[in-house]
Amino acid sequence: MHKVAELKVLYFGTPVVLIGSRNEDGSSNLAPMSSAWWLGDCAMLGLGNSGQTTANLRRERECVLNLASSAMVDAVDRLALLTGKPEVSEYKLRQGYRHERDKFGVAGLTEQPADLVKAPRVAECPIQLECVVEAIHPFEGPDLRATAFQVRVVRAHVEENLIIPGTHYVDPLRWDPLIMKFCEFFGGGQNVHPSRLAEGWEMPHRMNYSDGGSMNDSSMRGLTGSGGNSSVISSPIGVPAES
């Protein structure tokens, strides 16, 4: 039997993408997000308006979509509560966010130059998609201030062992993407790592991790988060608002 539910979070499960972009001073920025989908040679990216990545994509009109494998979950989690913006809102500070200029260093990842865009690739990511911004669309609602970026893939880099020999196709049995599902990390159908994002957003669930580790002791105070502000976690935009 179905039940009518006013869901606060709509993260039903999407791949984690590390968006590489360039800051105004030329330095690199790296932001984890999971509101991305593809159609043909294009992708649509949902990003909060206050984030550094949003500002970078508006200005530079290019990026690299670095797709993380499930094996990269620890590095991705280290990026979860970091923002490239020097000014961090009070709300984000309460969630545990802090400014970090060297995100590659903190995550232990390697910056790699792209071929056709200035934005950085992540050497450890098995799939890297160089993209240019084709269109920018407002994506707003009562509790949502975001932007949908339509980007076109101009070059794809794929680990050789993921390609079906003699074809231009990725082997779905070999590619194990890191999935973000209701703010938790999944790979191969299993919950693979504790999530700082779930803790920062005070998600009410508890998780048993596949490595037998500790459970998520996130607060059970409800879905709206600290201060009763539901503007972030009621949104289907799967990205930290200031990244």
Side-chain angles (χ1 to χ4, degrees), residues 145-215:
R145 298 293 181 269
T147 298
F149 290 90
Q150 180 181 338
V151 302
R152 178 169 53 86
V153 178
V154 294
R155 177 155 293 177
H157 306 263
V158 183
E159 284 284 354
E160 187 174 2
N161 65 359
L162 293 180
I163 299 175
I164 299 174
T167 77
H168 295 285
Y169 290 87
V170 171
D171 188 338
L173 294 177
R174 289 183 175 271
W175 170 230
D176 182 23
L178 180 61
I179 299 294
M180 174 64 75
K181 183 166 58 174
F182 294 104
C183 297
E184 297 287 355
F185 294 116
F186 284 78
Q190 300 293 320
N191 183 228
V192 293
H193 195 277
S195 169
R196 300 182 196 192
L197 190 65
E199 293 177 1
W201 288 11
E202 297 184 341
M203 297 296 286
H205 53 251
R206 294 172 180 266
M207 304 297 297
N208 284 312
Y209 298 103
S210 60
D211 63 358
S214 62
M215 300 175 71

Coordinates of all heavy atoms in Angstrom, one line a residue, residues 145-215:
R145 N 17.0 28.4 -4.7 CA 17.7 29.4 -5.5 C 18.8 28.7 -6.2 O 19.9 28.5 -5.6 CB 18.2 30.6 -4.7 CG 17.1 31.4 -4.0 CD 16.2 32.1 -5.0 NE 15.1 32.9 -4.4 CZ 13.9 32.4 -4.0 NH1 13.6 31.2 -4.4 NH2 13.0 33.2 -3.4
A146 N 18.6 28.2 -7.4 CA 19.6 27.4 -8.1 C 19.6 27.7 -9.6 O 18.8 28.5 -10.1 CB 19.3 25.9 -7.9
T147 N 20.6 27.1 -10.3 CA 20.8 27.3 -11.7 C 21.0 25.9 -12.3 O 21.7 25.1 -11.8 CB 22.0 28.2 -12.0 OG1 21.7 29.5 -11.4 CG2 22.2 28.4 -13.5
A148 N 20.4 25.8 -13.5 CA 20.6 24.6 -14.3 C 21.5 24.9 -15.5 O 21.1 25.8 -16.3 CB 19.3 24.0 -14.8
F149 N 22.7 24.3 -15.5 CA 23.6 24.6 -16.6 C 23.5 23.4 -17.6 O 23.7 22.3 -17.3 CB 25.1 24.6 -16.0 CG 25.4 25.8 -15.2 CD1 25.1 25.8 -13.8 CD2 25.8 27.0 -15.7 CE1 25.4 26.9 -13.0 CE2 26.1 28.1 -15.0 CZ 25.9 28.0 -13.6
Q150 N 23.3 23.8 -18.8 CA 23.3 22.8 -19.9 C 24.7 22.8 -20.5 O 25.2 23.9 -21.0 CB 22.3 23.2 -21.0 CG 22.3 22.2 -22.2 CD 21.2 22.6 -23.2 OE1 20.3 23.3 -22.9 NE2 21.4 22.1 -24.4
V151 N 25.4 21.7 -20.4 CA 26.8 21.7 -20.9 C 26.9 20.6 -22.0 O 26.2 19.6 -22.0 CB 27.8 21.4 -19.8 CG1 27.7 22.4 -18.7 CG2 27.6 20.0 -19.2
R152 N 27.9 20.8 -22.9 CA 28.1 19.9 -23.9 C 29.5 19.2 -23.8 O 30.5 20.0 -23.5 CB 28.0 20.5 -25.3 CG 28.3 19.6 -26.5 CD 28.0 20.3 -27.8 NE 28.6 21.6 -27.9 CZ 29.8 21.8 -28.4 NH1 30.6 20.8 -28.8 NH2 30.3 23.0 -28.5
V153 N 29.6 17.9 -23.9 CA 30.9 17.2 -23.7 C 31.7 17.4 -25.0 O 31.2 17.0 -26.1 CB 30.6 15.7 -23.4 CG1 32.0 15.0 -23.3 CG2 29.8 15.6 -22.1
V154 N 32.9 18.0 -24.9 CA 33.7 18.2 -26.1 C 34.9 17.2 -26.1 O 35.5 17.0 -27.2 CB 34.3 19.6 -26.1 CG1 33.2 20.6 -26.3 CG2 35.1 19.9 -24.8
R155 N 35.2 16.5 -25.0 CA 36.2 15.4 -25.0 C 35.9 14.6 -23.8 O 35.7 15.0 -22.7 CB 37.6 16.0 -25.0 CG 38.7 14.9 -25.0 CD 40.0 15.3 -25.6 NE 39.8 15.6 -27.0 CZ 40.8 16.0 -27.8 NH1 42.0 16.3 -27.3 NH2 40.6 16.2 -29.1
A156 N 36.0 13.2 -24.0 CA 35.9 12.3 -22.9 C 37.2 11.5 -22.7 O 37.8 11.0 -23.7 CB 34.7 11.3 -23.2
H157 N 37.6 11.3 -21.5 CA 38.8 10.5 -21.1 C 38.2 9.4 -20.3 O 37.6 9.6 -19.3 CB 39.8 11.3 -20.3 CG 40.2 12.6 -21.0 ND1 41.4 12.7 -21.8 CD2 39.6 13.8 -21.0 CE1 41.5 13.9 -22.2 NE2 40.5 14.7 -21.8
V158 N 38.6 8.1 -20.7 CA 38.1 7.0 -20.0 C 39.2 6.0 -19.7 O 40.0 5.7 -20.6 CB 36.9 6.2 -20.8 CG1 36.4 5.1 -20.0 CG2 35.8 7.2 -21.1
E159 N 39.3 5.5 -18.5 CA 40.3 4.4 -18.2 C 40.1 3.3 -19.2 O 39.0 2.8 -19.5 CB 40.1 3.9 -16.8 CG 40.6 4.8 -15.7 CD 42.1 4.8 -15.6 OE1 42.8 4.0 -16.3 OE2 42.7 5.6 -14.8
E160 N 41.3 2.8 -19.8 CA 41.2 1.9 -20.9 C 40.5 0.6 -20.5 O 39.8 0.0 -21.3 CB 42.7 1.6 -21.3 CG 42.7 0.7 -22.6 CD 44.1 0.6 -23.1 OE1 45.1 1.1 -22.5 OE2 44.3 -0.1 -24.1
N161 N 40.7 0.2 -19.2 CA 40.1 -1.1 -18.8 C 38.6 -1.1 -18.6 O 37.9 -2.1 -18.4 CB 40.8 -1.7 -17.5 CG 40.5 -0.8 -16.3 OD1 39.9 0.3 -16.4 ND2 41.1 -1.2 -15.2
L162 N 38.0 0.2 -18.7 CA 36.6 0.3 -18.7 C 35.9 0.2 -20.0 O 34.7 0.1 -20.1 CB 36.2 1.6 -18.0 CG 36.6 1.8 -16.5 CD1 36.1 3.2 -16.0 CD2 35.9 0.7 -15.7
I163 N 36.7 0.3 -21.1 CA 36.1 0.3 -22.4 C 36.0 -1.1 -23.0 O 37.0 -1.9 -22.9 CB 37.0 1.2 -23.4 CG1 37.1 2.6 -22.9 CG2 36.5 1.1 -24.8 CD1 38.0 3.5 -23.7
I164 N 34.9 -1.5 -23.5 CA 34.7 -2.8 -24.2 C 35.6 -2.8 -25.4 O 35.6 -2.0 -26.2 CB 33.2 -3.0 -24.6 CG1 32.3 -2.9 -23.4 CG2 33.1 -4.3 -25.4 CD1 30.8 -3.0 -23.7
P165 N 36.5 -3.8 -25.4 CA 37.5 -3.9 -26.5 C 36.9 -3.8 -27.9 O 35.9 -4.4 -28.2 CB 38.2 -5.2 -26.3 CG 38.0 -5.5 -24.8 CD 36.7 -4.9 -24.5
G166 N 37.5 -3.0 -28.7 CA 37.0 -2.8 -30.1 C 35.8 -1.9 -30.3 O 35.2 -1.9 -31.4
T167 N 35.4 -1.3 -29.2 CA 34.2 -0.4 -29.3 C 34.5 0.9 -28.7 O 35.6 1.2 -28.1 CB 33.0 -1.0 -28.5 OG1 33.2 -0.9 -27.1 CG2 32.8 -2.5 -28.8
H168 N 33.5 1.8 -28.7 CA 33.5 3.1 -28.0 C 32.5 3.1 -26.9 O 32.0 4.2 -26.6 CB 33.3 4.2 -29.0 CG 34.3 4.4 -30.1 ND1 35.6 4.9 -29.8 CD2 34.3 4.0 -31.4 CE1 36.3 4.9 -31.0 NE2 35.5 4.3 -31.9
Y169 N 32.3 2.0 -26.2 CA 31.3 1.9 -25.2 C 32.0 1.5 -23.8 O 33.0 0.8 -23.8 CB 30.3 0.8 -25.5 CG 29.4 1.2 -26.6 CD1 29.7 0.9 -27.9 CD2 28.1 1.8 -26.4 CE1 28.9 1.2 -29.0 CE2 27.3 2.1 -27.4 CZ 27.6 1.8 -28.7 OH 26.8 2.2 -29.7
V170 N 31.4 2.1 -22.7 CA 31.9 1.7 -21.4 C 31.3 0.4 -21.0 O 30.1 0.2 -21.2 CB 31.5 2.8 -20.4 CG1 31.8 2.4 -18.9 CG2 32.3 4.1 -20.7
D171 N 32.1 -0.5 -20.4 CA 31.6 -1.8 -19.9 C 30.8 -1.5 -18.6 O 31.4 -1.2 -17.6 CB 32.8 -2.7 -19.7 CG 32.3 -4.1 -19.3 OD1 31.2 -4.3 -18.9 OD2 33.2 -5.0 -19.5
P172 N 29.5 -1.8 -18.6 CA 28.7 -1.5 -17.3 C 29.1 -2.4 -16.2 O 28.8 -2.1 -15.0 CB 27.3 -1.7 -17.8 CG 27.4 -2.6 -19.0 CD 28.7 -2.2 -19.7
L173 N 29.7 -3.6 -16.5 CA 30.1 -4.5 -15.4 C 31.4 -4.1 -14.7 O 31.6 -4.4 -13.6 CB 30.2 -5.9 -16.0 CG 29.0 -6.6 -16.5 CD1 29.3 -7.9 -17.1 CD2 27.9 -6.7 -15.4
R174 N 32.2 -3.3 -15.4 CA 33.4 -2.8 -14.9 C 33.3 -1.5 -14.2 O 34.0 -1.2 -13.3 CB 34.5 -2.8 -15.9 CG 35.0 -4.2 -16.4 CD 36.2 -4.0 -17.4 NE 36.7 -5.3 -17.8 CZ 37.7 -5.9 -17.1 NH1 38.2 -5.3 -16.1 NH2 38.1 -7.1 -17.5
W175 N 32.4 -0.6 -14.7 CA 32.2 0.7 -14.2 C 31.3 0.7 -12.9 O 30.2 0.3 -13.0 CB 31.6 1.6 -15.2 CG 31.2 3.0 -14.8 CD1 30.0 3.6 -15.0 CD2 32.0 3.9 -14.0 NE1 29.9 4.8 -14.4 CE2 31.1 5.1 -13.8 CE3 33.2 3.9 -13.4 CZ2 31.6 6.2 -13.1 CZ3 33.7 5.0 -12.7 CH2 32.8 6.1 -12.5
D176 N 31.9 1.0 -11.8 CA 31.2 1.0 -10.5 C 31.2 2.5 -10.0 O 32.0 2.9 -9.2 CB 31.9 0.1 -9.5 CG 31.2 0.0 -8.2 OD1 30.0 0.3 -8.2 OD2 31.8 -0.3 -7.2
P177 N 30.2 3.3 -10.4 CA 30.2 4.7 -10.0 C 29.8 4.8 -8.5 O 29.1 4.0 -7.9 CB 29.0 5.3 -10.9 CG 28.1 4.1 -11.1 CD 29.0 2.9 -11.2
L178 N 30.3 5.9 -7.9 CA 29.9 6.2 -6.6 C 28.5 6.9 -6.7 O 28.4 7.9 -7.4 CB 30.9 7.2 -5.9 CG 30.6 7.7 -4.5 CD1 30.6 6.5 -3.5 CD2 31.7 8.7 -4.1
I179 N 27.6 6.4 -5.9 CA 26.2 6.9 -6.0 C 25.9 7.7 -4.7 O 26.2 7.2 -3.6 CB 25.2 5.8 -6.2 CG1 25.5 5.0 -7.5 CG2 23.8 6.3 -6.2 CD1 25.2 5.8 -8.8
M180 N 25.2 8.8 -4.9 CA 24.7 9.5 -3.7 C 23.2 9.3 -3.6 O 22.5 9.6 -4.5 CB 25.0 11.0 -3.8 CG 24.4 11.9 -2.8 SD 25.0 11.6 -1.1 CE 26.6 12.4 -1.2
K181 N 22.8 8.7 -2.5 CA 21.4 8.3 -2.3 C 21.0 8.8 -0.9 O 21.5 8.4 0.1 CB 21.2 6.8 -2.5 CG 19.8 6.4 -2.4 CD 19.6 4.9 -2.8 CE 20.4 3.9 -2.1 NZ 20.1 2.5 -2.5
F182 N 20.1 9.8 -0.9 CA 19.6 10.4 0.3 C 20.8 10.8 1.2 O 20.8 10.5 2.4 CB 18.6 9.5 1.0 CG 17.4 9.3 0.3 CD1 17.1 8.1 -0.4 CD2 16.4 10.3 0.2 CE1 16.0 7.9 -1.1 CE2 15.2 10.1 -0.5 CZ 15.0 8.9 -1.2
C183 N 21.8 11.5 0.6 CA 23.0 12.0 1.2 C 23.9 11.0 1.7 O 24.9 11.3 2.5 CB 22.6 13.0 2.4 SG 21.7 14.4 1.8
E184 N 23.8 9.7 1.3 CA 24.7 8.7 1.7 C 25.4 8.1 0.5 O 24.8 8.1 -0.6 CB 23.9 7.5 2.5 CG 23.2 8.0 3.8 CD 24.2 8.2 4.9 OE1 25.4 7.9 4.7 OE2 23.8 8.6 6.0
F185 N 26.5 7.5 0.7 CA 27.4 7.0 -0.4 C 27.1 5.5 -0.6 O 27.1 4.7 0.4 CB 28.9 7.1 0.0 CG 29.3 8.6 0.0 CD1 29.8 9.1 1.2 CD2 29.3 9.4 -1.1 CE1 30.2 10.4 1.3 CE2 29.8 10.7 -1.0 CZ 30.2 11.2 0.1
F186 N 26.9 5.1 -1.9 CA 26.7 3.8 -2.2 C 27.5 3.4 -3.4 O 27.8 4.2 -4.3 CB 25.2 3.5 -2.6 CG 24.3 3.5 -1.4 CD1 23.9 4.6 -0.8 CD2 23.8 2.3 -0.9 CE1 23.0 4.6 0.3 CE2 23.0 2.2 0.2 CZ 22.6 3.4 0.8
G187 N 28.0 2.1 -3.4 CA 28.7 1.5 -4.5 C 28.4 0.1 -4.6 O 28.4 -0.6 -3.5
G188 N 28.1 -0.5 -5.8 CA 27.8 -1.9 -5.9 C 26.5 -2.3 -5.1 O 26.4 -3.4 -4.7
G189 N 25.7 -1.3 -4.9 CA 24.4 -1.6 -4.1 C 24.6 -1.5 -2.6 O 23.6 -1.8 -1.9
Q190 N 25.8 -1.3 -2.1 CA 26.1 -1.3 -0.7 C 26.5 0.1 -0.2 O 27.1 0.9 -0.9 CB 27.3 -2.2 -0.4 CG 27.0 -3.7 -0.7 CD 25.9 -4.3 0.1 OE1 25.8 -4.1 1.3 NE2 25.1 -5.1 -0.6
N191 N 26.1 0.4 1.0 CA 26.5 1.7 1.7 C 28.0 1.5 2.0 O 28.4 0.7 2.8 CB 25.7 1.9 2.9 CG 26.0 3.3 3.6 OD1 26.2 3.3 4.8 ND2 26.1 4.3 2.8
V192 N 28.8 2.4 1.5 CA 30.3 2.2 1.5 C 31.1 3.1 2.4 O 32.2 2.8 2.7 CB 30.9 2.3 0.1 CG1 30.3 1.2 -0.8 CG2 30.6 3.6 -0.5
H193 N 30.5 4.1 3.0 CA 31.3 5.0 3.8 C 30.4 6.0 4.6 O 29.3 6.4 4.1 CB 32.2 5.9 2.9 CG 33.3 6.6 3.6 ND1 33.2 7.8 4.2 CD2 34.6 6.3 3.7 CE1 34.3 8.2 4.7 NE2 35.2 7.3 4.4
P194 N 30.8 6.4 5.8 CA 30.0 7.4 6.5 C 30.0 8.7 5.7 O 31.0 9.0 5.0 CB 30.8 7.6 7.8 CG 31.5 6.3 8.0 CD 31.9 5.9 6.6
S195 N 28.9 9.5 5.8 CA 28.8 10.7 5.0 C 28.8 11.9 5.9 O 27.9 12.1 6.7 CB 27.5 10.6 4.2 OG 27.2 11.9 3.6
R196 N 29.8 12.8 5.7 CA 29.8 14.1 6.5 C 28.6 15.0 6.0 O 28.1 15.7 6.8 CB 31.1 14.8 6.2 CG 32.3 14.0 6.6 CD 33.6 14.8 6.4 NE 34.7 13.9 6.5 CZ 36.0 14.3 6.6 NH1 36.3 15.6 6.6 NH2 37.0 13.4 6.7
L197 N 28.2 14.8 4.8 CA 27.1 15.6 4.3 C 25.8 15.3 5.0 O 25.0 16.1 5.5 CB 26.9 15.4 2.8 CG 25.9 16.4 2.1 CD1 26.4 17.8 2.1 CD2 25.7 16.0 0.7
A198 N 25.6 14.0 5.2 CA 24.4 13.5 5.9 C 24.4 14.0 7.4 O 23.3 14.4 7.9 CB 24.3 12.0 5.9
E199 N 25.6 14.0 8.0 CA 25.7 14.5 9.4 C 25.4 16.0 9.4 O 24.7 16.5 10.3 CB 27.0 14.2 9.9 CG 27.2 12.7 10.1 CD 28.6 12.3 10.6 OE1 29.4 13.3 10.8 OE2 28.9 11.1 10.8
G200 N 26.0 16.8 8.5 CA 25.9 18.2 8.5 C 24.5 18.6 8.2 O 24.0 19.6 8.8
W201 N 23.7 17.9 7.4 CA 22.3 18.2 7.1 C 21.4 17.5 8.1 O 20.2 17.7 7.9 CB 22.0 17.7 5.7 CG 22.6 18.6 4.6 CD1 23.6 19.5 4.8 CD2 22.3 18.6 3.2 NE1 23.9 20.1 3.6 CE2 23.2 19.5 2.6 CE3 21.4 17.8 2.5 CZ2 23.1 19.7 1.2 CZ3 21.4 18.1 1.1 CH2 22.2 19.0 0.5
E202 N 21.9 16.8 9.1 CA 21.1 16.2 10.2 C 20.0 15.3 9.6 O 18.9 15.4 10.0 CB 20.5 17.3 11.1 CG 21.6 18.1 11.8 CD 21.0 19.1 12.8 OE1 19.8 19.4 12.7 OE2 21.7 19.5 13.7
M203 N 20.4 14.4 8.7 CA 19.5 13.5 8.1 C 19.1 12.5 9.3 O 19.9 12.1 10.1 CB 20.2 12.7 7.0 CG 20.5 13.6 5.8 SD 19.1 14.3 5.0 CE 18.4 12.9 4.2
P204 N 17.8 12.1 9.3 CA 17.3 11.3 10.4 C 17.5 9.8 10.4 O 17.2 9.2 11.4 CB 15.8 11.6 10.3 CG 15.5 11.7 8.9 CD 16.8 12.4 8.3
H205 N 18.1 9.3 9.3 CA 18.3 7.9 9.2 C 19.6 7.4 9.9 O 20.5 8.2 10.2 CB 18.3 7.4 7.8 CG 19.3 8.2 6.9 ND1 18.9 9.1 6.0 CD2 20.6 8.2 6.9 CE1 19.9 9.6 5.4 NE2 21.0 9.0 5.9
R206 N 19.7 6.1 10.1 CA 20.9 5.5 10.6 C 21.4 4.5 9.7 O 20.6 3.7 9.1 CB 20.7 4.9 12.0 CG 20.4 6.0 13.1 CD 20.0 5.3 14.4 NE 19.8 6.3 15.4 CZ 20.7 6.7 16.3 NH1 21.9 6.3 16.3 NH2 20.4 7.6 17.2
M207 N 22.7 4.3 9.4 CA 23.2 3.4 8.4 C 24.2 2.4 9.0 O 24.9 2.7 9.9 CB 24.0 4.2 7.3 CG 23.1 5.3 6.7 SD 21.7 4.7 5.8 CE 22.6 3.7 4.5
N208 N 24.1 1.2 8.6 CA 25.1 0.1 8.8 C 26.0 0.1 7.6 O 25.6 -0.2 6.5 CB 24.5 -1.2 9.1 CG 23.8 -1.3 10.5 OD1 24.5 -0.9 11.4 ND2 22.6 -1.8 10.5
Y209 N 27.3 0.4 7.8 CA 28.2 0.4 6.7 C 28.7 -0.9 6.3 O 28.9 -1.8 7.1 CB 29.3 1.4 7.0 CG 28.8 2.8 7.2 CD1 28.7 3.3 8.5 CD2 28.3 3.5 6.1 CE1 28.1 4.6 8.7 CE2 27.8 4.8 6.4 CZ 27.7 5.3 7.6 OH 27.1 6.5 7.8
S210 N 29.0 -1.1 5.0 CA 29.3 -2.4 4.5 C 30.6 -3.0 5.0 O 30.9 -4.1 5.0 CB 29.4 -2.4 2.9 OG 30.4 -1.4 2.5
D211 N 31.5 -2.0 5.6 CA 32.8 -2.5 6.2 C 32.6 -2.9 7.6 O 33.6 -3.2 8.3 CB 33.9 -1.5 6.0 CG 33.5 -0.2 6.7 OD1 32.5 -0.1 7.3 OD2 34.4 0.8 6.7
G212 N 31.4 -2.8 8.1 CA 31.1 -3.2 9.5 C 31.5 -2.1 10.5 O 31.5 -2.3 11.7
G213 N 31.7 -0.9 10.0 CA 32.0 0.2 10.8 C 30.9 0.8 11.6 O 29.8 0.2 11.7
S214 N 31.1 1.9 12.2 CA 30.1 2.5 13.1 C 28.9 3.0 12.3 O 29.0 3.3 11.1 CB 30.8 3.7 13.9 OG 31.2 4.7 13.0
M215 N 27.8 3.2 13.1 CA 26.6 3.7 12.5 C 26.6 5.2 12.4 O 27.4 5.8 13.2 CB 25.4 3.2 13.3 CG 25.3 1.6 13.3 SD 24.0 1.1 14.4 CE 22.6 1.5 13.4

